[in-house]
Amino acid sequence: MTDYFGFNYDKNNKHHRMIRQALLIVVSLYGFVLLWWIVSLLANSVAIPTPLETWDEFVRLLRDGDVTNYGASVWGYVGSSMTTFLEGFAVAFVIAVPLGLLLGYSKDLRDLTAPAIEVLRPIAPIAWAPILILSIDYVVGPVLVVAIGIFFPLLTNTIFGVQKIDRNLTDAAKTLGAKPYQIFYKVMVPSALPYVMNGVKVGLGVGWMCIIAAELYAPSLGGIGNFLSEQAFMGYWPSVYAALILIAAMGLITTGLAEYVHKIITRRMGME
Amino acid sequence: MSGEISIKGLSKVYRTDDSETVAIKDFNLEIKEGELIAIVGPSGCGKTTLLRCIAGLEEVTAGVISSGSKVFSEPGPDRGMVFQDFALFPWRTVRKNIEFGLEIAGMPKEQRKEKSDKYLALMGLTAFADAQVHELSGGMKQRVSIARALITHPDIILMDEPFGALDAQTRNIMQMELVKLLDKTDQTIVFITHSVDEAVFLADRIVVLTKRPAEIKEIVEVPWPRPRDRASPEFTALRKRILTELENENTLV
């Protein structure tokens, strides 16, 4: 029991914890908005609209659409970005996870690929954006940029997950008659799963950094990143910030989803 | 059934770049079918290595471990193993853990369920069939692990300090349960333990090992029927004798 201004907080009480969590979110966001407001007043610049101006513009944008583009719906922009993002994620996932499982399993393959991976990994994924978009095309290019961004954290986490496997578990499987391929998919894959999900969580964050930058090179794709940069060029600052709200919301939705799946898996395995 | 084990000239040497550790040296032992052999020895003497060699989990440096005409060079479902830290699959329920060996062997689902029902009941786990492993106590976990090893009917069961991670009370209960279980099966059991008390309580024969490299110091026959009375004078006398022998081994460093 901790006394907070006369309120007895009991951390073992589920309702108390929920109230605490809700209060923290409210206070944190409130503080952020307050800070933003102060900065915008002090700066007194059109480039930093107040939170209220931004909110009004956000509501107007959802209602009237993009007035600089014949009232095109912002949901179209959001949909385009989301599509690019999910496609990039899918590409990264189907390559990084099997490859990570394989590299985690075989030390020879790991040692063989490590030098190449270590050379490529530090390259900022965004550096690939002009290359891939101009050399392939403006649809596939951004997808690949996102895929590259998600690929490395997902790969390294998956490899790590396989290497972290409790040797007793593979030994137990062997004594129960499991063949190497059965050990692989009945022991290694499920036991690496929480680490894969961790890679997904990290990867999603990197992916959102990549997509907005990639869209700057692909204006015809009509994603939210392109909308943001066009509004900035035209000096419609409240719109720029409204776009940021949409980007933040999309990021929250995908990471929230991954967080949820990760929680289910780790809880089931008693890893909390 | 072919539960006898013959260990001839077994040596196990661990080599690294600049050192060599001889864990077991020229080890010979014949284990009869249906026997319960306890292996005791000073810490780090190579007991576990010996068991892992029988399981086929370690490659032997020299010598042959066999049963009849079959040489044990790889792990196989003819030798079940129970680990000290249970080694249960945390993403599987209790039932799915127990069924693992059957699943590997490709047994259809209905048959698996029938068998796991039987072993769940045998180990007193029926109420926990759908529980996740982390919800169980240590004693319960080890029951799951034993059921998982028994269900495929291995001729030989290898137990590596199976009750070592349990508290004293649970340990005694598990020993009693193992005694009851032994009456129902004719499997050979090789049991590694730290506890001389446990060895005297359970084993037909106790193999006392020297410090590393492991050699046989003595093999003690325990002729009394089970369950045994820990308080009886013979029991305490035998326990004391083996303990003294082990202490001598430990102080000879």
Side-chain angles (χ1 to χ4, degrees):
Chain A
M1 290 278 216
T2 323
D3 191 54
Y4 283 119
F5 313 110
F7 179 79
N8 273 328
Y9 174 68
D10 175 8
K11 69 172 188 244
N12 296 318
N13 184 318
K14 195 179 164 194
H15 297 287
H16 284 201
R17 282 205 311 270
M18 275 165 63
I19 292 168
R20 175 180 180 274
Q21 190 63 35
L23 274 174
L24 285 176
I25 292 171
V26 168
V27 171
S28 174
L29 290 180
Y30 190 83
F32 165 71
V33 171
L34 198 69
L35 201 66
W36 174 3
W37 214 306
I38 291 167
V39 169
S40 76
L41 289 179
L42 288 178
N44 193 23
S45 151
V46 286
I48 310 177
T50 63
L52 191 63
E53 285 167 337
T54 306
W55 179 253
D56 285 344
E57 176 62 20
F58 180 70
V59 173
R60 195 201 55 70
L61 202 59
L62 293 187
R63 192 185 58 221
D64 303 338
D66 178 5
V67 287
T68 60
N69 185 20
Y70 313 106
S73 164
V74 285
W75 296 118
Y77 302 158
V78 169
S80 164
S81 290
M82 208 46 141
T83 307
T84 309
F85 186 83
L86 292 178
E87 284 170 355
F89 176 77
V91 170
F93 193 86
V94 298
I95 300 174
V97 174
L99 187 64
L101 291 171
L102 205 66
L103 295 187
Y105 183 69
S106 158
K107 186 173 159 26
D108 287 338
L109 276 179
R110 196 160 64 239
D111 292 346
L112 180 73
T113 51
I117 289 174
E118 286 316 308
V119 166
L120 291 172
R121 197 159 63 118
I123 299 172
I126 295 148
W128 293 102
I131 303 169
L132 294 172
I133 292 165
L134 299 177
S135 70
I136 304 176
D137 70 31
Y138 69 90
V139 179
V140 179
V143 170
L144 291 181
V145 174
V146 173
I148 290 171
I150 297 175
F151 179 81
F152 287 106
L154 193 50
L155 181 75
T156 45
N157 274 281
T158 306
I159 294 175
F160 182 68
V162 179
Q163 288 181 286
K164 280 274 284 186
I165 281 174
D166 183 355
R167 215 181 113 204
N168 273 321
L169 294 184
T170 47
D171 280 349
K174 280 182 202 163
T175 62
L176 289 161
K179 310 260 184 311
Y181 74 92
Q182 288 170 316
I183 291 173
F184 185 75
Y185 79 89
K186 280 190 191 285
V187 181
M188 293 195 162
V189 173
S191 91
L193 208 55
Y195 298 92
V196 173
M197 276 317 295
N198 204 42
V200 167
K201 270 168 35 183
V202 179
L204 290 177
V206 181
W208 280 110
M209 291 180 206
C210 295
I211 187 163
I212 303 304
E215 281 172 348
L216 302 183
Y217 294 90
S220 355
L221 198 56
I224 192 81
N226 176 55
F227 171 70
L228 182 147
S229 79
E230 277 182 356
Q231 298 300 303
F233 274 119
M234 289 186 279
Y236 292 134
W237 296 105
S239 267
V240 172
Y241 287 80
L244 284 182
I245 293 178
L246 285 170
I247 293 167
M250 282 191 278
L252 273 179
I253 289 169
T254 52
T255 44
L257 213 62
E259 189 77 51
Y260 181 69
V261 176
H262 188 236
K263 210 167 196 166
I264 290 177
I265 292 172
T266 50
R267 183 172 297 166
R268 208 164 65 107
M269 290 175 64
M271 282 174 62
E272 266 177 303
Chain B
M1 284 292 282
S2 53
E4 74 271 14
I5 306 169
S6 159
I7 305 172
K8 286 202 174 79
L10 173 69
S11 292
K12 174 70 192 176
V13 181
Y14 290 100
R15 285 195 182 89
T16 58
D17 289 344
D18 50 3
S19 75
E20 212 173 65
T21 309
V22 182
I24 303 168
K25 196 178 149 190
D26 197 26
F27 189 94
N28 297 287
L29 181 66
E30 298 291 324
I31 299 171
K32 293 189 280 284
E33 186 179 327
E35 199 173 23
L36 197 161
I37 289 268
I39 297 176
V40 296
S43 302
C45 75
K47 306 186 285 282
T48 296
T49 306
L50 174 64
L51 199 74
R52 290 176 59 86
C53 285
I54 302 173
L57 292 169
E58 298 282 345
E59 220 175 300
V60 303
T61 311
V64 175
I65 305 173
S66 59
S67 178
S69 57
K70 192 159 50 178
V71 175
F72 294 155
S73 53
E74 278 180 352
D78 51 346
R79 280 149 294 148
M81 185 143 168
V82 177
F83 296 79
Q84 178 176 12
D85 66 353
F86 325 123
L88 297 173
F89 305 115
W91 56 89
R92 286 172 166 252
T93 60
V94 167
R95 181 192 293 281
K96 296 280 276 174
N97 261 285
I98 294 177
E99 288 180 358
F100 188 88
L102 306 176
E103 211 179 288
I104 291 295
M107 183 183 280
K109 202 177 170 191
E110 307 78 58
Q111 261 173 285
R112 285 204 311 254
K113 190 178 177 306
E114 213 173 285
K115 290 205 93 177
S116 58
D117 276 339
K118 193 179 134 200
Y119 279 85
L120 283 165
L122 183 70
M123 301 304 292
L125 290 165
T126 306
F128 300 93
D130 298 315
Q132 294 296 140
V133 169
H134 66 91
E135 296 166 344
L136 306 181
S137 67
M140 286 288 189
K141 284 180 186 164
Q142 201 52 292
R143 277 174 221 216
V144 177
S145 175
I146 292 171
R148 183 180 68 177
L150 287 177
I151 201 166
T152 51
H153 296 297
D155 301 331
I156 296 158
I157 295 179
L158 307 168
M159 299 182 131
D160 184 12
E161 294 187 38
F163 308 145
L166 307 178
D167 62 82
Q169 230 172 344
T170 314
R171 199 178 170 126
N172 283 355
I173 295 168
M174 292 297 287
Q175 288 166 0
M176 276 310 292
E177 287 188 7
L178 189 64
V179 166
K180 273 188 238 157
L181 207 65
L182 286 178
D183 297 337
K184 294 179 198 161
T185 65
D186 45 3
Q187 281 147 319
T188 309
I189 296 177
V190 184
F191 194 104
I192 301 277
T193 181
H194 253 29
S195 156
V196 173
D197 177 79
E198 187 167 85
V200 178
F201 188 73
L202 292 171
D204 297 318
R205 282 197 296 162
I206 302 170
V207 177
V208 184
L209 298 184
T210 62
K211 65 179 170 30
R212 203 176 63 205
E215 285 175 78
I216 295 176
K217 189 177 173 73
E218 195 196 350
I219 298 180
V220 183
E221 300 259 357
V222 191
W224 317 313
R226 287 177 288 257
R228 293 169 186 159
D229 179 9
R230 282 197 162 86
S232 74
E234 315 91 85
F235 192 101
T236 39
L238 181 57
R239 194 178 64 182
K240 190 158 182 227
R241 207 191 89 206
I242 298 173
L243 272 173
T244 317
E245 262 180 50
L246 283 176
E247 269 163 29
N248 290 340
E249 272 304 314
N250 276 332
T251 49
L252 280 174
V253 177

